[in-house]
Structure formats: C-alpha cells, structure tokens
C-alpha cells in the first residue's frame, strides 16, 4: 500500500563491482542485477511469442504469467520488476499470479551452492531413488512455511516407507 501511495523511490541502475555486466562508460561499475532481470523478462517474452514481439506474449489474454520465487525476493518480483517494465512500456500486463515459497533448508541451513551446502541432482536422481525423492519432496515442500530437507530422514523414508508397498504400487501402475 505504501509503495502505491508514495511511489517506488530511486533505484540505482549500477553499482561499484567487478562481477556482472559492465555498465557502459562507467569504469568499475556493473549493472544492477534486477535491471538485468527485467530485461530478461522481455527477452523471454519475445522468444515465447510467434512474432518475436514481447507485447504479443506479455499482453495476451491467452498467456498467463505466473512468477515463482522465494519470499525473500517478493519486493523485486512484485514491485521493482513490474515498475521497471512499466517504465519501459506502460502497456505491459502485471503478472497474473505469484507462487511464493518459504525457504527450504538443508539439514537446518540455507541451501548454498557457493558454500557447497547442496544436494546435486546427479547424486540423488538415480532410477531407484527418483520416485521416492519426489514423494519426500512433495511431503516436505516449503509451500506456506519454512521446512527442512533432512538427508538422513530422507534416506530412512526411502528404506522404511518406499520399499514394499510403494514399489508394488508403482509396478502395478507401470504394468496397467
């Protein structure tokens, strides 16, 4: 409500840094990543349209744009990116919906690929584990609340819950 009443305020388009897209003519400055994100929306909308015009996709009554993101990025996806898109083209349609998730932790800590605190798909998506992993993830997903993926709990779940009944059920489905 405050943003609608007072406006967004000023946003820096670039900042000092050496990681990212260099800001033209500004030595030592890179483009703010959320500016890039707004441009990426237009790029993907162009690629998704038959004519190559982002307006065809963004403003179509037949295309619903649903954004999915973590709650820590709510301001950016719900306010900043739409404001940037409207500044570029005030006819751009606001997203039709949002799927906002809480954090899904790994053994009590935030997933972080840079710190090596992650589970890599090629390690767990073996043919014998993938269906069990899907079921475990569905039961522990972070929709509406912060939840925690516990590797030992998942392993126990695979052994205790999935061997026998679940395997039999899947085998019956496959043979049906």
């Amino acid at each position: 409500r405050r943003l609608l009443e007072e406006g967004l305020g000023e946003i820096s388009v670039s900042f000092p840094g050496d990681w990212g897209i260099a800001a033209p003519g500004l030595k030592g400055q890179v483009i703010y990543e959320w500016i890039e994100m707004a441009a990426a929306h237009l790029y993907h909308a162009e690629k998704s349209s038959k004519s190559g015009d982002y307006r065809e996709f963004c403003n179509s009554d037949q295309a619903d744009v649903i954004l999915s993101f973590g709650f820590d990025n709510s301001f950016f996806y719900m306010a900043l990116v739409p404001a940037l898109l409207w500044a570029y083209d005030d006819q751009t349609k606001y997203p039709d919906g949002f799927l906002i998730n809480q954090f899904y932790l790994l053994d009590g800590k935030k997933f972080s690929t840079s710190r090596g605190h992650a589970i890599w798909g090629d390690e767990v998506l073996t043919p014998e584990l993938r269906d069990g992993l899907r079921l475990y993830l569905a039961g522990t997903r972070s929709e509406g609340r912060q939840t925690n993926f516990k590797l030992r709990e998942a392993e126990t779940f695979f052994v205790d819950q999935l061997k026998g009944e679940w395997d039999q059920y899947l085998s019956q489905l496959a043979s049906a």
Side-chain angles (χ1 to χ4, degrees):
R1 197 174 277 142
R2 191 185 90 233
L3 284 174
L4 291 174
E5 291 171 5
E6 298 174 15
L8 190 58
E10 292 187 18
I11 301 292
S12 296
V13 175
S14 68
F15 62 92
D18 57 5
W19 185 90
I21 298 174
L26 298 172
K27 186 177 171 118
Q29 295 270 321
V30 293
I31 297 173
Y32 183 40
E33 63 269 17
W34 289 99
I35 303 293
E36 294 177 47
M37 187 69 71
H41 280 266
L42 295 176
Y43 171 81
H44 290 291
E46 251 179 34
K47 293 292 183 191
S48 298
S49 72
K50 293 176 185 169
S51 69
D53 183 350
Y54 72 90
R55 290 175 203 89
E56 178 187 329
F57 180 81
C58 287
N59 300 329
S60 169
D61 290 334
Q62 296 178 0
D64 288 334
V65 176
I66 310 295
L67 301 180
S68 177
F69 49 89
F71 79 100
D72 56 330
N73 288 319
S74 296
F75 166 77
F76 300 106
Y77 283 111
M78 297 175 78
L80 181 59
V81 170
L84 292 168
L85 293 173
W86 288 329
Y88 181 73
D89 180 350
D90 64 359
Q91 298 302 304
T92 301
K93 181 173 79 169
Y94 191 70
D96 297 287
F98 302 98
L99 176 60
I100 306 169
N101 290 303
Q102 298 289 325
F103 283 126
Y104 191 47
L105 304 175
L106 171 60
D107 292 327
K109 297 179 187 169
K110 192 174 172 185
F111 276 86
S112 172
T113 55
S114 63
R115 291 188 310 250
H117 188 68
I119 298 174
W120 306 103
D122 60 352
E123 295 172 358
V124 295
L125 291 177
T126 61
E128 59 275 359
L129 291 181
R130 68 177 170 227
D131 289 325
L133 182 60
R134 281 188 195 117
L135 185 60
Y136 181 79
L137 290 171
T140 62
R141 69 190 181 277
S142 60
E143 189 174 323
R145 69 196 194 299
Q146 180 173 289
T147 57
N148 188 27
F149 182 96
K150 298 175 187 170
L151 192 53
R152 293 224 189 282
E153 181 181 279
E155 291 167 347
T156 302
F157 176 82
F158 296 152
V159 173
D160 294 349
Q161 300 294 319
L162 298 182
K163 295 300 172 198
E165 271 186 57
W166 182 251
D167 284 342
Q168 288 174 3
Y169 172 74
L170 291 176
S171 294
Q172 290 172 351
L173 281 178
S175 63

